[in-house]
Amino acid sequence: MSEEVTTPKKAKRERKPREKMPEQAPEARIHNFDEVPFGYTEQQAVAEAERCIICKKPKCVDGCPVNIDIPKFIAQIRDGDFLGAARTVRSTNSLPAICGRVCPQADQCEVLCVEGIKYEPVAIGNLERFIADWELANDAIEIPAIPPPTGYRIAVVGSGPAGLTVAGDMAKLGHEVTIYEALHRPSGVLVYGIPEFRLPRSVVAKEIDYIRQLGVKFVYDVIIGVTITVDELFEQGYHAVFIGTGAGLPKMMKVPGENLVGVYSANEFLTRVNLMGASREGYDTPIRFAKHTVVVGGGNTAMDAARVSLRVSGNPVTLVYRRSMEEIPARREEIHHAVEEGIKFDLLVAPLEVIGDDKGQVKAIKCIRMGLGEPDDSGRRRPVPIEGSEFIIDCDTVIVAIGNSPNPIIPRNTPGIESSKWGTIVADEETGATSRRGVYAGGDIVSGAATVILAMGAGRKAATAMDAYVRTLPLTRRNPYGDT
Amino acid sequence: MHPLHSHRVLAEKIHEFWVEAPLVARKYRAGQFVIVRTHDRGERIPLTVVQADAANGRIRLIVQEAGKATALMAKFGPGDSFLDVVGPLGKPTHIENWGNLIAVCGGVGAAPLLPIVKAAAEAGNNVFAVIGARSKDLMILEDEFRAACKDVRISTDDGTYGMKGFVTDVLRKWVEEGQKFHEAIIVGPVVMMKVAAALTKDLGIPSLASLNPIMVDGTGMCGGCRVTVHGKTFFACVDGPEFDAHGVDFQELILRNQAYRDQEMRQLEHMADDECKLEAQLHGEKSHV
Ligand SMILES: Cc1cc2nc3c(=O)[nH]c(=O)nc-3n(C[C@H](O)[C@H](O)[C@H](O)COP(=O)(O)OP(=O)(O)OC[C@H]3O[C@@H](n4cnc5c(N)ncnc54)[C@H](O)[C@@H]3O)c2cc1C
Ligand code: SF4
Ligand code: FES
């Protein structure tokens, strides 16, 4: 335990409760896709900032994967220096309005906050969001002076958080950067997976604008490894390539009935709604309007799928997860929001079979209750089926949200790039360097499905290493080390 | 943006487009497809590439009007553009020198089959083809098949052209006449593929079928294109689109392809109700993309 809390002066300090973020009432928000929390007012932000005791050896910073100087920016908010706070945050996090909304703060920085040991942790995530929103609303994003062009050209594959981070950092160093994206829109899971009520498109768009203003070029509808290979990128004169293609390959349950009409992977369901506008007036992509949806899984993806289904269908949604509430991996806030919205949680339950009617449409799902046994490799207690506890849930839609494997296109089509037996690309943890010279990788394609901030952290490290690498190359050669 | 160079109506509700897509044209091999989006609020739909002209950076697509997206395409003319064309997707057809290849197609299935037939002929196969259509006016690409094949036979449901009956009737008769086939490739409506695959299985001819499930991204990300082959699940967009016809669960594919039929029908009714609004949507949106 840290000294600050035990010093008599601080101990007598009046403890104020954590500022609550105002939000849309559950009854109202289940009928719309508007953002759920409204964000702090200036007064609230200052009041919350005042709860921070500005530790000399701040533990919270250790929990932040990009090491934001948390006490510094919180002190700046406390003093009303919002611009300064914005600069502090942005100096280590290029997507703060996004991270403020989707990072698992409760498990990263806030869990280490000393205030939380005896009391409630400072709402670091809410403050980050406040300051990023303030910066966007006041057009206060400072486009840094870009050094003269270095002449080095960088190709970034994938426009998710990993790719965006690398691109932004490399552009700031004077390199010429192009992002290649397979879909017709930038930002990966941030737009096709995470729904608007959690991360509004306008927020993502503004952060993308920032990256664009740094001089980064975006090319859509191009699948690297297929439309253009990595070798061809080198032939075209790129000096280094970063691969941030994410974990976009849905895992299925491998139970009978899984391909019945009405069984979706969460990726498909969310993509239809979030990227393709399904269920909205004027958009052509179809979607099922379920009478009762069962979502399988307990991560952020499962929460998102459940809450989107509730909004699209207006009908009940049940979430089944094979462990207990204690092990559920989603962000706390989203679980809390899902519960408030009336999503039914059926925990310690695993699916056995999807049952169809004579038209091949889902009519029920057969499940079994689980007990918790010894901890497994992940340190969580292993769920074990309880014999004879099978039961049936009637439903017409099943959404499978049990995880994603790395996208295999690049590893499959690129000679010289080593990948693991899980399909991830093997890359050095500190530099992102792959087994092929000039090719770097980071984010979910390396770690397996993880988080936005970890993808960004990997992007940041790779950018540093790539910068050092390209500067060793002679500029005169158009095709440096395009070999394997 | 992908400008259209030409639009020709091949038969009722069957349209041929040459579209600018230089990156796709450069890489394309027989059997591959693209995902197309016509306008900002449109669907992403998969379309097989029938031919590529790498020198001019163009690809040839043949589209049958079915849902709203394809009905909308039918209204596009030279000077209009498709918003997105992504590809080439899917594995190219695995072609070897089998000997005698029998190519079986029905309806617009002739379009995806044509490039495969051409590639197989180039690889030294003797290609024979059975083309089926509901009636003579719906027959497409016959001349091009004749140019690539050793022999072509035709069936129509109503007997207006070729043999009256189904493609399987032609195939069975051909085999009964003593013609030997070492490999079959089957493309067309799922019901037709199902019946044809059952026959080639009986006849002991190894067969490939090119499947057409509903797709969204075409890159393996959504899993919507799941098909069952020999009891295992595959993603048609990355593992296919061609599979061993004798292992495909066609019944499942038929059902999955009908998942949104009601919604499509409703959309089409809407369209017919209000053609002008559609025109406005189409042209209005094109001006700001
Ligand atoms: C529904 C859902 C909710 C989530 N919620 C949270 C959350 O609340 N908090 C959190 O921290 N994390 C969350 N995550 C996880 C987080 O989104 C990912 O960890 C993060 O986006 C990974 O970033 P990335 O840059 O590695 O990849 P991605 O975001 O997956 O981006 C990869 C991009 O590369 C493109 N691409 C793929 N292959 C190619 C190719 N060959 N050529 C060109 N482009 C290609 C893809 O189209 C995509 O745009 C969630 C994930 C999902 C699915
Ligand atoms: S947020 Fe918590 S741990 Fe971090 S400086 Fe403030 S009080 Fe200390
Ligand atoms: S179309 Fe999405 S995985 Fe095949």
Side-chain angles (χ1 to χ4, degrees):
Chain A
M1 196 176 288
S2 133
E3 290 165 37
E4 280 86 353
V5 268
T6 51
T7 55
K9 193 175 145 243
K10 295 270 165 61
K12 261 191 256 135
R13 212 169 51 95
E14 186 201 343
R15 305 274 196 175
K16 280 201 234 128
R18 186 171 154 126
E19 285 293 327
K20 261 186 84 71
M21 181 112 73
E23 49 190 40
Q24 269 200 80
E27 312 78 62
R29 69 187 193 232
I30 58 172
H31 300 295
N32 65 52
F33 274 81
D34 299 341
E35 195 172 15
V36 171
F38 295 129
Y40 280 159
T41 60
E42 290 191 6
Q43 290 79 350
Q44 280 186 300
V46 171
E48 182 61 21
E50 279 167 355
R51 294 184 59 233
C52 173
I53 54 172
I54 323 289
C55 307
K56 286 200 194 65
K57 283 188 219 126
K59 283 262 186 291
C60 56
V61 178
D62 298 342
C64 174
V66 294
N67 299 120
I68 296 179
D69 192 339
I70 293 168
K72 181 170 170 195
F73 98 79
I74 294 185
Q76 285 166 316
I77 294 179
R78 184 194 60 194
D79 300 342
D81 176 14
F82 299 147
L83 187 64
R87 297 281 180 273
T88 306
V89 172
R90 206 168 270 278
S91 70
T92 48
N93 184 340
S94 42
L95 308 171
I98 294 169
C99 290
R101 288 172 165 82
V102 305
C103 268
Q105 293 96 358
D107 304 322
Q108 288 181 168
C109 49
E110 293 177 14
V111 72
L112 298 176
C113 171
V114 292
E115 282 294 286
I117 294 170
K118 284 201 177 140
Y119 199 50
E120 285 179 292
V122 175
I124 305 171
N126 292 354
L127 289 172
E128 181 186 21
R129 174 188 153 147
F130 165 79
I131 212 61
D133 285 355
W134 181 91
E135 190 191 27
L136 291 176
N138 289 282
D139 272 328
I141 300 181
E142 187 184 43
I143 305 300
I146 307 281
T150 59
Y152 293 110
R153 300 180 60 211
I154 313 296
V156 172
V157 185
S159 63
L164 291 174
T165 305
V166 170
D169 284 7
M170 292 307 263
K172 279 189 218 161
L173 293 164
H175 305 305
E176 184 190 323
V177 185
T178 305
I179 297 186
Y180 291 93
E181 168 56 51
L183 292 170
H184 56 263
R185 240 183 228 157
S187 53
V189 175
L190 303 180
V191 296
Y192 78 68
I194 302 179
E196 284 245 50
F197 53 79
R198 220 150 59 78
L199 182 60
R201 291 297 158 269
S202 56
V203 170
V204 181
K206 282 194 179 162
E207 298 284 25
I208 296 283
D209 249 11
Y210 170 72
I211 306 282
R212 203 173 270 132
Q213 284 180 53
L214 295 173
V216 173
K217 285 203 231 54
F218 288 79
V219 181
Y220 304 116
D221 295 330
V222 169
I223 302 168
I224 299 298
V226 177
T227 318
I228 303 176
T229 62
V230 170
D231 293 77
E232 285 168 336
L233 289 175
F234 283 114
E235 280 160 28
Q236 290 177 14
Y238 286 105
H239 297 84
V241 175
F242 176 83
I243 298 172
T245 49
L249 185 77
K251 286 188 190 154
M252 297 307 290
M253 305 178 289
K254 300 206 162 65
V255 303
E258 176 152 81
N259 295 339
L260 288 167
V261 178
V263 184
Y264 282 107
S265 78
N267 280 5
E268 181 186 359
F269 183 78
L270 291 170
T271 300
R272 282 181 182 274
V273 178
N274 297 338
L275 182 73
M276 302 307 300
S279 85
R280 286 185 209 196
E281 192 61 40
Y283 286 82
D284 297 342
T285 300
I287 193 85
R288 283 173 80 83
F289 296 96
K291 294 200 182 67
H292 181 203
T293 307
V294 170
V295 175
V296 181
N300 286 318
T301 312
M303 297 307 142
D304 288 347
R307 296 171 68 199
V308 166
S309 184
L310 183 72
R311 282 161 173 76
V312 167
S313 71
N315 285 319
V317 178
T318 302
L319 183 140
V320 300
Y321 176 60
R322 63 196 188 112
R323 302 179 199 254
S324 71
M325 201 52 125
E326 233 152 77
E327 290 90 7
I328 207 161
R331 284 180 90 223
R332 309 289 158 78
E333 191 185 345
E334 309 317 331
I335 299 169
H336 174 69
H337 282 154
V339 171
E340 277 184 348
E341 288 169 12
I343 307 287
K344 184 175 164 215
F345 283 62
D346 211 343
L347 300 172
L348 286 162
V349 166
L352 293 177
E353 181 185 351
V354 186
I355 301 167
D357 63 13
D358 51 2
K359 293 202 194 84
Q361 310 242 0
V362 173
K363 74 168 189 201
I365 183 168
K366 185 172 167 191
C367 299
I368 188 163
R369 302 226 175 261
M370 311 291 275
L372 285 178
E374 293 300 300
D376 62 13
D377 327 335
S378 73
R380 297 175 302 177
R381 293 173 64 199
R382 186 196 303 275
V384 277
I386 299 170
E387 234 177 280
S389 68
E390 292 87 349
F391 66 104
I392 286 184
I393 309 175
D394 290 334
C395 60
D396 61 348
T397 300
V398 172
I399 304 177
V400 183
I402 56 172
N404 281 297
S405 311
N407 187 294
I409 290 180
I410 298 250
R412 225 185 250 175
N413 299 329
T414 312
I417 291 192
E418 198 190 318
S419 50
S420 73
K421 66 174 176 187
W422 299 278
T424 52
I425 290 180
V426 178
D428 184 277
E429 213 174 291
E430 285 312 306
T431 64
T434 68
S435 55
R436 180 162 167 178
R437 188 166 182 179
V439 179
Y440 294 74
D444 285 3
I445 185 67
V446 170
S447 58
T451 60
V452 171
I453 194 73
L454 290 174
M456 290 179 57
R460 164 131 307 163
K461 285 181 187 168
T464 308
M466 284 169 84
D467 176 58
Y469 166 74
V470 291
R471 287 180 197 274
T472 65
L473 301 175
L475 259 179
T476 44
R477 273 185 68 179
R478 287 290 291 167
N479 176 16
Y481 312 109
D483 50 20
T484 45
Chain B
M1 292 292 266
H2 299 266
L4 258 54
H5 288 276
S6 65
H7 173 185
R8 199 157 63 102
V9 180
L10 301 184
E12 199 198 337
K13 298 206 168 193
I14 303 179
H15 304 263
E16 176 201 82
F17 302 97
W18 277 95
V19 188
E20 191 170 308
L23 292 176
V24 179
R26 203 171 51 97
K27 274 289 160 63
Y28 164 77
R29 281 160 63 204
Q32 291 185 298
F33 62 94
V34 286
I35 297 262
V36 177
R37 214 168 55 114
T38 49
H39 65 291
D40 201 31
R41 295 180 169 202
E43 285 180 77
R44 295 169 62 96
I45 58 163
L47 296 170
T48 309
V49 178
V50 180
Q51 198 179 336
D53 173 356
N56 291 304
R58 296 171 193 177
I59 56 170
R60 181 184 181 196
L61 304 173
I62 293 179
V63 182
Q64 180 168 40
E65 282 181 61
K68 184 173 172 193
T70 46
L72 204 55
M73 278 182 186
K75 304 193 178 301
F76 279 62
D80 291 332
S81 300
F82 291 162
L83 187 52
D84 304 289
V85 176
V86 197
L89 298 162
K91 290 187 181 155
T93 307
H94 167 79
I95 289 175
E96 51 184 277
N97 193 340
W98 293 289
N100 293 346
L101 172 72
I102 177 73
V104 185
C105 62
V108 281
L113 189 56
L114 181 64
I116 301 173
V117 159
K118 286 189 193 163
E122 255 164 54
N125 288 287
N126 298 314
V127 185
F128 300 79
V130 182
I131 312 180
R134 264 185 291 132
S135 121
K136 183 168 196 265
D137 335 321
L138 293 172
M139 188 88 227
I140 56 167
L141 305 175
E142 183 188 343
D143 295 346
E144 287 175 78
F145 269 87
R146 293 210 183 271
C149 296
K150 241 181 127 69
D151 198 357
V152 176
R153 294 193 181 180
I154 308 269
S155 74
T156 48
D157 297 2
D158 60 2
T160 43
Y161 190 39
M163 185 177 176
K164 181 174 161 66
F166 211 48
V167 283
T168 40
D169 301 325
V170 178
L171 176 56
R172 184 175 288 117
K173 184 148 174 275
W174 217 343
V175 171
E176 281 164 8
E177 286 169 16
Q179 182 63 54
K180 278 242 164 308
F181 299 119
H182 304 108
E183 177 81 21
I185 177 137
I186 306 169
V187 190
V190 190
V191 182
M192 171 253 150
M193 290 198 280
K194 181 181 173 185
V195 179
L199 176 63
T200 60
K201 191 169 182 194
D202 279 353
L203 297 172
I205 309 171
S207 304
L208 288 172
S210 179
L211 307 185
N212 56 342
I214 294 174
M215 295 191 180
V216 183
D217 59 305
T219 66
M221 181 272 277
C222 76
C225 61
R226 300 197 300 285
V227 292
T228 304
V229 184
H230 290 298
K232 275 175 59 186
T233 295
F234 292 91
F235 291 3
C237 69
V238 283
D239 301 322
E242 272 142 37
F243 295 94
D244 176 2
H246 298 158
V248 174
D249 184 340
F250 287 107
Q251 195 53 37
E252 177 186 280
L253 182 59
I254 290 170
L255 294 169
R256 285 186 68 85
N257 278 356
Q258 288 172 354
Y260 300 112
R261 248 238 315 251
D262 295 353
Q263 279 184 52
E264 296 248 295
M265 286 302 153
R266 245 176 286 134
Q267 275 184 347
L268 281 175
E269 276 164 25
H270 248 72
M271 253 175 101
D273 281 356
D274 207 343
E275 284 282 319
C276 317
K277 207 159 99 191
L278 182 75
E279 287 286 325
Q281 178 185 2
L282 170 57
H283 288 101
E285 257 163 24
K286 265 187 300 169
S287 57
H288 74 248
V289 286

